[in-house]
Amino acid sequence: MKLSDLGEFGFITRIASRYSTQHPAIIKGIGDDAAALCFSDKEVVLFSTDQVIEGIHFRLETTDEWKLGWKSLAVNLSDIAAMGGTPLGFTLSLAVPTQRISVEFLDGFYDGLFSLARKTGVHLLGGDTSRSGAALIISVSIVGTAPREQVVYRSGGKDNDDLYITGWLGEAALGLAILEGGNRGSDVESLVERHLCPVARLREGKALAEHKIAHAMIDLSDGLLADARHLARESGLGVEIDTSLVPLSSALKRYAGDYGADPLTLALTGGEDYELLFSAAMERRKDIELLQRECSSPITRIGKLSRWAEGVTLRDEQGRTRKADVVGYDHFRLRV
Ligand code: ADP
Ligand code: MG
């Protein structure tokens, strides 16, 4: 069988179904943003890993080493944020094509990485170094902690929960298109930054967990539709997204057309925004409003979880619904 027939997520499901762990210390294994391990009666250790690979996640022609270092850590921090945890430390493994990569490049890479590490109070714990025959491969594993009663899993969603996102979607995907298109002006620099230097929503994730607002949560790495499907599936529900509620930033609306893209499609399917998608009871709307005043970016209600919705359903302004077909990035299939 071809991997492209199975798809990335079919492959992960296949592994998970062949291997079922039952150890009292493993609260959550495969299937969430991070694994959750029992550390004590009250505390959970969160553990997650993510790779950043030349030719797949970045090209040396369009990235700079400082930002690459920053992003390699940021995408891992985002998985801890999605569990409502606090990051503690990380390991970093490098496979380096030594003919093409210089010491100065790696120094710059670590400058970016350490800058974000200091900002977020997370510590480098070790790693591994190897020569690579082809691509530069960066592999980060991260550990964090959370009070046991506060961890937010993808599976905690309840029927009729409101569905929210933090921040703005689609900007990172547009930033990538701008980067790939070459000749960019300073007016689109903020979009390019969204792609090169994502910000993990650690503060928001932790607050949503501490106040027990979020029932289920996931970070948006594959695109809203794909990640909403993950969250809904793990919660045993469907999801309905009201397309007229999905916030479109003015930059997205202004520039998407220049790159042959539709703003809403970018917001629904563009990956790598590293915002949070979470569900919460309708009774918490006031609390979420209060919380968003303390945050630097908006928190927007975009739909709901429902046992009646089939997969991911889109509702337009006229109230017409249709099942979403294009769902997002799949490493083995490119698009599902
Ligand atoms: P994220 O986008 O948050 O990094 P992924 O979609 O990569 O999450 O992974 C979903 C789940 O599948 C996670 O629990 C992850 O640890 C697990 N997973 C991914 N790839 C593998 C693999 N090759 N073997 C085992 N588990 C995997
Ligand atoms: Mg994730």
Side-chain angles (χ1 to χ4, degrees):
M1 194 200 312
K2 287 186 185 151
L3 282 170
S4 56
D5 293 336
L6 196 56
E8 177 190 346
F9 301 102
F11 170 72
I12 294 172
T13 307
R14 186 184 173 98
I15 304 170
S17 64
R18 280 183 49 189
Y19 180 76
S20 78
T21 359
Q22 284 194 332
H23 188 286
I26 302 173
I27 303 165
K28 182 77 204 177
I30 297 175
D32 218 305
D33 292 284
L37 309 176
C38 179
F39 182 66
S40 69
D41 278 358
K42 294 207 165 73
E43 197 118 40
V44 160
V45 169
L46 301 168
F47 182 56
S48 181
T49 190
D50 256 314
Q51 314 181 72
V52 181
I53 298 175
E54 183 188 1
I56 306 290
H57 300 96
F58 69 93
R59 294 195 303 123
L60 287 179
E61 295 79 9
T62 51
T63 193
D64 81 60
E65 55 271 32
W66 195 98
K67 289 174 181 171
L68 186 60
W70 172 288
K71 183 167 179 175
S72 301
L73 179 56
V75 300
N76 279 273
L77 290 169
S78 180
D79 280 323
I80 300 297
M83 306 297 289
T86 305
L88 173 63
F90 63 101
T91 61
L92 174 80
S93 298
L94 289 174
V96 186
T98 48
Q99 318 84 328
R100 293 188 290 119
I101 298 287
S102 67
V103 173
E104 289 72 22
F105 179 98
L106 291 180
D107 280 347
F109 171 87
Y110 275 94
D111 285 344
L113 183 100
F114 287 142
S115 165
L116 181 57
R118 272 193 299 275
K119 221 172 141 78
T120 51
V122 62
H123 305 272
L124 177 62
L125 304 173
D128 191 39
T129 305
S130 161
R131 162 198 289 273
S132 165
L136 171 60
I137 300 174
I138 301 147
S139 201
V140 174
S141 296
I142 191 160
V143 288
T145 59
R148 192 170 177 150
E149 295 312 311
Q150 286 178 23
V151 183
V152 187
Y153 299 97
R154 292 179 181 179
S155 56
K158 298 192 168 58
D159 185 28
N160 251 332
D161 268 1
D162 287 329
L163 199 62
Y164 293 85
I165 52 153
T166 61
W168 307 96
L169 304 185
E171 291 196 337
L174 181 55
L176 175 61
I178 292 167
L179 206 55
E180 291 295 323
N183 63 29
R184 59 184 209 252
S186 58
D187 45 348
V188 292
E189 205 50 44
S190 69
L191 293 166
V192 173
E193 281 296 289
R194 281 296 305 262
H195 168 70
L196 293 178
C197 271
V199 175
R201 297 285 183 198
L202 284 165
R203 193 159 156 237
E204 289 81 354
K206 198 169 162 182
L208 288 163
E210 267 172 7
H211 298 295
K212 294 197 184 307
I213 291 174
H215 285 160
M217 188 149 61
I218 185 171
D219 72 329
L220 293 171
S221 53
D222 297 331
L224 174 61
L225 298 184
D227 289 319
R229 187 175 63 168
H230 293 318
L231 184 143
R233 267 194 192 159
E234 290 293 324
S235 295
L237 297 165
V239 58
E240 199 172 285
I241 293 171
D242 213 323
T243 53
S244 62
L245 296 181
V246 175
L248 304 173
S249 74
S250 50
L252 192 76
K253 284 191 280 193
R254 164 72 184 81
Y255 295 106
D258 294 353
Y259 294 85
D262 162 56
L264 180 63
T265 307
L266 277 176
L268 294 176
T269 63
E272 295 204 302
D273 284 308
Y274 296 101
E275 296 292 350
L276 297 174
L277 172 72
F278 66 94
S279 85
M282 266 163 63
E283 296 75 49
R284 305 302 298 270
R285 286 184 185 181
K286 257 254 109 49
D287 298 322
I288 292 167
E289 231 171 79
L290 289 173
L291 179 74
Q292 96 139 335
R293 278 184 217 158
E294 294 166 26
C295 300
S296 51
S297 58
I299 296 177
T300 313
R301 185 167 56 81
I302 57 159
K304 62 177 189 166
L305 289 177
S306 162
R307 66 188 150 128
W308 305 114
E310 197 194 339
V312 181
T313 299
L314 299 178
R315 176 184 291 273
D316 68 16
E317 229 160 344
Q318 283 78 40
R320 289 178 302 225
T321 58
R322 67 180 167 91
K323 193 160 184 258
D325 39 10
V326 179
V327 178
Y329 197 81
D330 184 309
H331 274 278
F332 288 170
R333 265 210 286 250
L334 290 187
R335 293 262 154 197
V336 289

